[in-house]
Amino acid sequence: MAVHIIIDGYNLIRQSSQWSMLDIQDLQHGREALLSALAEYKKKKAHRITVVFDAADAPGFMERNEKQKGISVKYSPAGESADAVIKQMAAQLGEKALVVSSDRDVADYAAGRGAAVIGSPEFEMKMAMAAYGDSGNEDDSAGWSPTTKKKGPGRRLPKRMRRNRSKISKL
């Protein structure tokens, strides 16, 4: 199942140690650095990526919907926040979406609509691991097998949590 990653752009930039410094100097530099990093990530992982920015901080000449370096970029309409646009997209895509935001309101809403949610710092770490070719799925139990049978009820996560874990592991 293909995952559509929806990113709260300014949230990710301002939560990041590397992009927040560029954002402080110039907002456009922060956006460009994020889009360049996402383009590199997209080369390694073929996920569909949409970054949503608040239009209040966007230059006037920018289109509301555009594609840069293979990444869909959306600016929220006048009078509407990027959070509202992300919520609409999460509601439309449901289980096909993975929302990247540390904003609790956005994350809770998206999770309520069936979308997987990951915080901005965790996603930045996944991007860094992908850049270095590390999948992050270390198998500590390689070569080990239990000698006794398990007794009692299984400790399996609920289905929704297993699906979310599966989507996040694809990053």
Side-chain angles (χ1 to χ4, degrees):
M1 176 160 99
V3 177
H4 185 151
I5 302 172
I6 304 168
I7 300 173
D8 186 347
Y10 290 129
N11 181 279
L12 180 56
I13 290 172
R14 292 181 181 140
Q15 294 279 326
S16 168
S17 56
Q18 60 181 344
W19 300 315
S20 61
M21 299 308 291
L22 293 171
D23 180 55
I24 291 170
Q25 294 170 4
D26 182 25
L27 198 60
Q28 183 64 25
H29 288 317
R31 280 193 299 262
E32 288 172 359
L34 173 64
L35 293 174
S36 294
L38 287 171
E40 289 299 315
Y41 177 75
K42 188 172 174 59
K43 287 179 186 176
K44 302 223 186 268
K45 307 283 186 168
H47 300 298
R48 186 170 172 206
I49 301 174
T50 301
V51 182
V52 182
F53 293 110
D54 279 313
D57 296 327
F61 59 86
M62 298 292 282
E63 289 186 38
R64 294 293 170 215
N65 296 319
E66 61 184 30
K67 209 149 176 103
Q68 289 184 12
K69 302 175 184 176
I71 309 295
S72 296
V73 180
K74 285 188 173 203
Y75 292 95
S76 62
E80 193 174 356
S81 69
D83 294 354
V85 173
I86 293 168
K87 288 177 181 179
Q88 287 173 348
M89 291 179 70
Q92 288 174 350
L93 294 170
E95 291 186 1
K96 295 177 183 173
L98 184 138
V99 176
V100 177
S101 180
S102 293
D103 185 331
R104 275 285 47 128
D105 182 44
V106 173
D108 291 344
Y109 183 88
R113 299 303 181 270
V117 178
I118 186 172
S120 296
E122 292 87 3
F123 182 72
E124 182 182 10
M125 187 172 64
K126 293 277 189 183
M127 287 177 58
M129 285 192 297
Y132 292 112
D134 181 18
S135 67
N137 297 331
E138 298 173 9
D139 189 12
D140 294 334
S141 63
W144 181 84
S145 62
T147 57
T148 61
K149 283 190 166 186
K150 290 185 179 181
K151 296 180 181 175
R155 289 179 175 74
R156 191 171 179 179
L157 292 173
K159 193 172 192 176
R160 174 180 268 175
M161 292 179 81
R162 290 193 317 265
R163 284 184 188 153
N164 287 349
R165 193 177 271 184
S166 169
K167 289 178 197 171
I168 291 170
S169 71
K170 293 178 183 177
L171 296 178

